[in-house]
Each structure stands twice: as C-alpha cells, then as structure tokens.
Amino acid sequence: MSEYDVFLADCPARTTLALVADTWSVVVIFGLGSGPQRYSELRDRIGGISNKMLTQTLRRLEASRLVERRTLATAPPGTEYSLTPLGKSLLEPVSLLARWAEEHAEELASEP
C-alpha cells in the first residue's frame, strides 16, 4: 500500500497527477514513445501546439526527470528529446489513455 493518498489536499501524488494528466504532457510523452526526436520533428508531429507551449511542456517534463534533452553537434546546433527510464515507465499508461481517448472521442463529443 502506498504512503500517499490522492484524496488528501497536500498529497504529493496530486502534483504528479497534475503533471502527467495535462493534455500536452500526455501528447508529448506519447509522441516521444517512438524514440528520440528533434524539437522541430516533435513540433511538426503534434498538431496545434505552439512553440511556446511545446517549450514549456518539454521544460516541465525535463525538470520532472521524465524527458531528457541532448544538444546535437550539428550545424546549426540542434536539440533532441527522449524519454528517460522514468518517462518510459509512464509510456504504457499514457498510451492506454491516448488509445482510449481515440476510441471514445466520437461518443464523448456527441451531444447528450
């Protein structure tokens, strides 16, 4: 049994849920599941995300040790992002959530 209880207002697990339940975090983690990607590749793959939002999301995930950033020795210099082992451990639940959303999008979008 975990020592954390998400029903308690000051539970650290709530902070974790807020991070990983964010739409862009889920999409970025899911997007990096296929392997390392350059910033521009990731931005192009994720429709509707602004440069600012992608940068903020990547920084937040990097600070949480879910994503790692690597500077490439290219001309011009590039940046590549990949999931850390901790990020990879989140890939399965995020993938399940993303697939569930895809399968039920029509049902949830329809008017009651």
Side-chain angles (χ1 to χ4, degrees), residues 20 22-35 37 39 42-43 45-46 49-50 53-62 66-67 81-83 87 90-91 94 98:
V20 299
D22 172 73
T23 300
W24 291 123
S25 294
V26 170
V27 173
V28 168
I29 291 167
F30 191 55
L32 290 173
S34 60
Q37 292 187 44
Y39 180 92
L42 193 55
R43 184 196 61 228
R45 184 169 187 202
I46 301 173
I49 194 168
S50 66
M53 185 54 65
L54 179 57
T55 298
Q56 289 175 346
T57 302
L58 286 167
R59 285 181 182 164
R60 194 168 49 250
L61 293 172
E62 186 179 5
L66 295 170
V67 168
Y81 294 89
S82 60
L83 295 175
L90 183 58
L91 188 57
V94 163

Side-chain angles (χ1 to χ4, degrees), residues 63-79:
S64 299
R65 295 182 304 278
L66 295 170
V67 168
E68 62 187 0
R69 177 182 187 264
R70 186 171 72 110
T71 302
L72 303 173
T74 59
T79 305

